[in-house]
Amino acid sequence: MNSNALLQPFNTPYETAPFSKVKDEDFLPAFKQAIADAKIEIAQIAQNNTVPSFENTIEALDFSGKQLERISSVFFNLNAAETNENIQKTAQEVSPLLSEFSNDITLNEDLFKRVKAVYDLKSSLNLTIEQETLLDKKYKSFSRNGANLPKEKKEQLREIDKKLSQLKLKFGENVLAETNKFEMLITNEVDLSGLPDGAKEAAKQLAESKDKEGWLFTLDYPSYIPFVTYADNRELRKKITLAAGSKSFKNDELDNQKNVLEIAKLRHERAKLLGYKTHAHFVLEERMAETPKNVQKFLNELLEKAKPAAEREFKKLQEFAKELDGIEQLQKWDGSYYSEKLKQKLFSLDDELLKPYFKLENVIDGAFTIANRLFDLKFEEIDSIDKYHEDVLTYKVTDTKGNFVAIFYADFFPRPGKRNGAWMTVYKPQYIKNGENSRPHISIVCNFTKPTKTKPSLLTFNEVTTLFHEFGHALHGMLANTTYPSLSGTSVFWDFVELPSQVMENWCYEKEALELFAKHYETGETIPMDLIEKIKKSSTFLEGMQTLRQLSFGLLDMSWHGQDPGGIADVKAHESKVFENTTLYPKTKETCMSTAFSHIFQGGYSSGYYSYKWAEVLDADAFEYFKENGVFNKSIADKFKEHVLSKGGTENPMTLYKRFRGQEPRPEALLRRAGLLEEVS
């Protein structure tokens, strides 16, 4: 028996990943073996002498390589949430191997012949809708990735894919290293003026953990956000803001400018090779938006509505800062600080006032209670399964009848081996095989404020909505109920994937939901009604500026991927030109967004960043449906579960949405919620 735990069946409770038995050095040999085994499986499908059928070709393909998929999910999730030098080194070695293996499949002529033979008979095969979708998806995965190319162009494609896989990893490693590298040690207590006690205590604790005297601040969000929001010292706010904005933009060994240019150019070259005008044309063919033209139109129409509101808000903020502190010109490092002060003045609402009501454990319980009320789920914390870090919480999820639904991991606090931000991920997808419904293992990863010696983890309201957002993605994964793994859970069009996550955020603003979990961590008192009212009233505060910011990121993404980037030589100059129409603050020569824009240069959002706003249209329209009938209306929740959450990518998302809603989504719902629409006739 091979001693490598990754190559043995996971004889663990619920077949969960055996983290404690896996050593860093196990990954490379495990990948090599699993790739070799998967190649044998693919060869058997490609060289099958029987007539190609849906079962022996399309279905067989979807269920092939399961061991490789499990190893990949464990490895790449660790590389994001608990990485180290060994894992990063392995990632650089493994990524080209995986890229090559993926090409071995899509460029396998015998295999493509079989897939095409089944595809050509589609109309006579009497397939279910899900089977038809799978067949389309499999055929396109070949035709869209070079199966029809002549031999020399296939080799070119392999080379491009190999380079891209390494460049994307390098990009992410540089951003993480830059985040970990910056430390701002404050030794004079006067410089902490304005900071809440919790932020000071956390900074003190962090300094102590590194054997330093004073208060230590980093670029991790729970450290960075309170500092730029509350610190009265403008120079120090400037220092940390410029550090955050200049990640991988310093012309040193962690610089990403060359990587950005190379990734954009290689993606364009790849798209051209496959017969597409740009990378965005290639990507958007498989999205609800369909074309770059539609995306530009969507972004520009929203921009037209949001920009006047953003300019009005910015002018008010500028006047407020001048009146309060004589600030003549509002800078980037002033934005969060004066926004918070203005919010306090307008709504008498202070995040620090809210935090005692949002103890992390209570918010988790609240999310679970809401999932129970809406979708009949029960969450039980268990300690019988392995974790990759002691901070990780593990849950068994069942329905109200006691049937097993999913395993759920939750990882909430920052640490050096964990990248910034928040995300949901899958360790094992759901699928049905041989009559057995194999249930998924889902994880959410966040970076929230850690407990201190005197206080539990208390969340800002923004962190509460982040938790609900990621939990919405998790529900999409947990409630999956499809036959095929590649169509399960969040395997949907990218501009549809944010609907379940964004719609869940809405419950954070509702009295009936807040009363379930927003209880003072010391007194147990339920959040007062006046605070709930203030949360609701402030929900559209500076929404124009926030929308403009999101749109600027979407436009930047399209500028890298919706045209030939060959003429771009200077990353910063290109970015500045794109931002001209959306910039409110004065430019800063030290900062650059693209060099740390991990969503599009490392993650899967290239040509897809617009989808956050796209999905907001869907989620605002969907939640209006709940609001009209009660936010815990069971029949609407059942419809959402049946037609959206359980169906994954089995049908066109607009078909699924209309089945749930009874109509196409209306943009007015979003504009109304955002306060960007005075009245709708």
Side-chain angles (χ1 to χ4, degrees):
M1 175 70 91
N2 193 313
S3 63
N4 190 325
L6 291 162
L7 291 170
Q8 296 168 26
F10 290 0
N11 291 323
T12 51
Y14 312 102
E15 297 182 355
T16 48
F19 296 110
S20 62
K21 294 186 174 69
V22 178
K23 301 186 286 290
D24 289 353
E25 57 270 25
D26 289 341
F27 281 109
L28 192 57
F31 268 116
K32 286 179 175 173
Q33 184 59 55
I35 288 171
D37 293 345
K39 280 181 175 175
I40 293 168
E41 286 182 70
I42 296 298
Q44 284 169 348
I45 299 167
Q47 287 152 28
N48 190 336
N49 291 326
T50 56
V51 174
S53 70
F54 181 83
E55 288 73 21
N56 70 25
T57 302
I58 307 303
E59 205 169 73
L61 256 180
D62 209 53
F63 285 110
S64 70
K66 282 284 148 286
Q67 186 188 42
L68 177 59
E69 193 180 282
R70 290 298 308 265
I71 294 167
S72 295
S73 68
V74 172
F75 177 76
F76 286 104
N77 284 324
L78 287 181
N79 193 33
E82 183 61 7
T83 196
N84 57 46
E85 279 184 19
N86 295 334
I87 287 177
Q88 289 183 344
K89 185 174 178 290
T90 302
Q92 286 289 354
E93 290 181 66
V94 160
S95 287
L97 298 181
L98 290 172
S99 167
E100 194 175 331
F101 172 65
S102 173
N103 287 144
D104 284 343
I105 296 174
T106 53
L107 303 178
N108 182 320
E109 288 175 22
D110 293 336
L111 188 59
F112 181 52
K113 273 181 197 156
R114 290 186 68 85
V115 170
K116 191 174 185 309
V118 180
Y119 185 77
D120 289 343
L121 291 171
K122 185 166 85 167
S123 57
S124 63
L125 293 178
N126 202 19
L127 301 175
T128 65
I129 289 170
E130 184 176 352
Q131 288 172 330
E132 267 192 40
T133 303
L134 184 70
L135 177 53
D136 280 346
K137 191 174 172 179
K138 289 295 175 208
Y139 177 74
K140 281 178 179 172
S141 75
F142 285 86
S143 63
R144 279 169 51 79
N145 287 292
N148 293 313
L149 291 177
K151 195 166 184 289
E152 71 280 1
K153 290 198 170 174
K154 283 181 178 173
E155 287 312 310
Q156 225 176 312
L157 187 72
R158 282 179 184 274
E159 207 43 51
I160 290 171
D161 285 343
K162 194 171 164 183
K163 279 186 202 161
L164 275 172
S165 69
Q166 288 169 312
L167 284 166
K168 281 157 67 178
L169 271 176
K170 189 69 189 140
F171 180 97
E173 283 170 14
N174 287 351
V175 174
L176 181 63
E178 278 275 61
T179 305
N180 289 339
K181 196 167 122 180
F182 178 84
E183 290 184 347
M184 184 168 76
L185 185 68
I186 292 175
T187 50
N188 185 346
E189 197 162 356
V190 176
D191 291 331
L192 301 176
S193 167
L195 281 168
D197 291 343
K200 288 193 272 196
E201 191 183 354
K204 185 87 175 159
Q205 218 166 280
L206 185 61
E208 283 169 8
S209 74
K210 300 200 173 191
D211 298 324
K212 293 182 178 180
E213 284 289 320
W215 298 265
L216 192 63
F217 293 88
T218 69
L219 298 181
D220 284 327
Y221 290 159
S223 180
Y224 173 78
I225 299 294
F227 198 90
V228 294
T229 307
Y230 295 104
D232 294 329
N233 188 318
R234 196 180 184 208
E235 274 309 303
L236 290 177
R237 285 203 316 267
K238 178 180 178 179
K239 182 182 177 182
I240 201 167
T241 301
L242 291 179
S246 61
K247 277 190 272 193
S248 300
F249 183 61
K250 299 189 185 75
N251 292 309
D252 57 9
E253 73 283 357
L254 298 176
D255 193 275
N256 267 338
Q257 290 173 86
K258 191 164 174 277
N259 292 333
V260 165
L261 292 172
E262 238 179 297
I263 290 169
K265 283 169 187 169
L266 283 170
R267 281 174 174 164
H268 182 71
E269 199 181 314
R270 187 182 194 279
K272 295 288 281 184
L273 195 63
L274 293 166
Y276 294 86
K277 192 176 173 188
T278 66
H279 178 67
H281 284 84
F282 170 76
V283 169
L284 293 166
E285 186 179 68
E286 293 289 276
R287 299 284 192 268
M288 289 177 84
E290 295 177 343
T291 66
K293 190 180 173 186
N294 287 344
V295 172
Q296 291 287 2
K297 182 171 180 276
F298 170 74
L299 293 173
N300 287 324
E301 279 176 3
L302 272 181
L303 182 61
E304 204 178 301
K305 299 275 194 318
K307 195 175 178 182
E311 286 171 341
R312 281 196 302 275
E313 291 165 1
F314 187 74
K315 188 166 180 276
K316 264 189 204 162
L317 197 61
Q318 174 103 7
E319 285 164 0
F320 174 71
K322 188 174 182 181
E323 183 191 320
L324 195 69
D325 290 330
I327 300 287
E328 288 298 330
Q329 175 62 68
L330 209 59
Q331 300 285 353
K332 286 177 182 172
W333 44 91
D334 299 319
S336 299
Y337 180 77
Y338 288 106
S339 295
E340 183 61 26
K341 286 215 174 331
L342 182 57
K343 186 166 85 173
Q344 287 174 24
K345 183 188 170 189
L346 294 177
F347 306 102
S348 308
L349 188 66
D350 175 354
D351 243 337
E352 286 304 303
L353 207 63
L354 295 175
K355 279 171 78 171
Y357 295 97
F358 296 129
K359 180 181 167 185
L360 174 61
E361 290 77 2
N362 292 349
V363 179
I364 296 166
D365 285 345
F368 290 168
T369 304
I370 289 165
N372 177 262
R373 298 265 300 261
L374 293 169
F375 308 121
D376 303 320
L377 293 176
K378 290 174 76 178
F379 293 78
E380 177 198 344
E381 190 170 354
I382 54 173
D383 58 11
S384 57
I385 64 174
D386 248 355
K387 307 173 178 192
Y388 56 86
H389 190 275
E390 62 185 11
D391 284 351
V392 177
L393 304 172
T394 48
Y395 300 88
K396 176 187 175 184
V397 189
T398 54
D399 64 18
T400 41
K401 293 180 184 139
N403 298 310
F404 176 58
V405 172
I407 289 294
F408 178 49
Y409 300 86
D411 179 359
F412 290 120
F413 305 122
R415 51 183 176 265
K418 184 177 181 181
R419 68 176 166 89
N420 246 332
W423 61 95
M424 166 269 188
T425 189
V426 181
Y427 280 97
K428 174 184 174 292
Q430 175 275 333
Y431 55 86
I432 299 169
K433 196 176 184 191
N434 302 328
E436 187 195 338
N437 195 327
S438 185
R439 300 309 303 167
H441 302 170
I442 305 297
S443 171
I444 62 172
V445 187
C446 304
N447 281 277
F448 294 150
T449 311
K450 290 185 90 152
T452 63
K453 286 169 188 164
T454 65
K455 285 191 180 75
S457 175
L458 300 175
L459 306 188
T460 64
F461 187 69
N462 192 39
E463 288 176 324
V464 174
T465 59
T466 297
L467 191 151
F468 270 73
H469 179 102
E470 298 309 332
F471 187 61
H473 280 309
L475 290 171
H476 202 181
M478 287 184 237
L479 288 167
N481 195 24
T482 65
T483 306
Y484 303 109
S486 70
L487 301 178
S488 174
T490 54
S491 301
V492 298
F493 279 5
W494 209 272
D495 42 11
F496 192 61
V497 81
E498 295 297 335
L499 166 61
S501 55
Q502 288 178 191
V503 84
M504 282 308 293
E505 292 180 39
N506 289 282
W507 273 269
C508 300
Y509 296 90
E510 297 302 317
K511 176 179 180 287
E512 300 98 305
L514 284 166
E515 285 176 347
L516 296 172
F517 66 90
K519 297 179 192 298
H520 198 285
Y521 80 100
E522 287 173 314
T523 66
E525 176 210 8
T526 300
I527 192 166
M529 192 61 218
D530 67 313
L531 277 182
I532 292 178
E533 278 309 310
K534 286 170 183 176
I535 289 172
K536 283 187 83 82
K537 278 183 183 164
S538 68
S539 65
T540 61
F541 175 62
L542 302 186
E543 185 64 36
M545 285 172 68
Q546 189 51 39
T547 300
L548 196 67
R549 183 173 176 268
Q550 281 288 92
L551 294 174
S552 74
F553 296 167
L555 291 163
L556 180 62
D557 172 26
M558 292 307 289
S559 78
W560 282 115
H561 298 117
Q563 60 179 4
D564 181 354
I568 305 168
D570 184 323
V571 174
K572 171 76 174 180
H574 169 72
E575 190 178 285
S576 300
K577 194 168 186 311
V578 175
F579 283 160
E580 262 169 21
N581 205 23
T582 55
T583 299
L584 297 170
Y585 293 98
K587 291 174 186 171
T588 44
K589 67 176 191 307
E590 305 95 326
T591 62
C592 184
M593 166 84 190
S594 299
T595 54
F597 200 171
S598 300
H599 271 78
I600 69 168
F601 288 113
Q602 184 195 5
Y605 278 84
S606 63
S607 308
Y609 201 85
Y610 74 91
S611 56
Y612 282 105
K613 275 290 162 205
W614 185 277
E616 265 189 64
V617 171
L618 298 173
D619 102 66
D621 186 66
F623 195 67
E624 251 190 23
Y625 192 23
F626 275 100
K627 288 278 282 184
E628 287 158 9
N629 299 276
V631 297
F632 285 111
N633 185 292
K634 196 69 182 67
S635 69
I636 293 173
D638 287 345
K639 282 169 78 173
F640 193 69
K641 179 177 168 180
E642 184 190 347
H643 299 303
V644 177
L645 295 176
S646 71
K647 287 288 190 287
T650 55
E651 283 188 71
N652 183 289
M654 190 57 87
T655 306
L656 294 175
Y657 186 83
K658 286 197 294 193
R659 214 171 277 154
F660 152 67
R661 185 68 169 96
Q663 62 183 42
E664 287 203 3
R666 297 160 304 180
E668 291 81 15
L670 170 62
L671 297 171
R672 228 188 330 268
R673 185 177 72 186
L676 299 174
L677 195 67
E678 295 307 315
E679 54 187 56
V680 183
S681 54

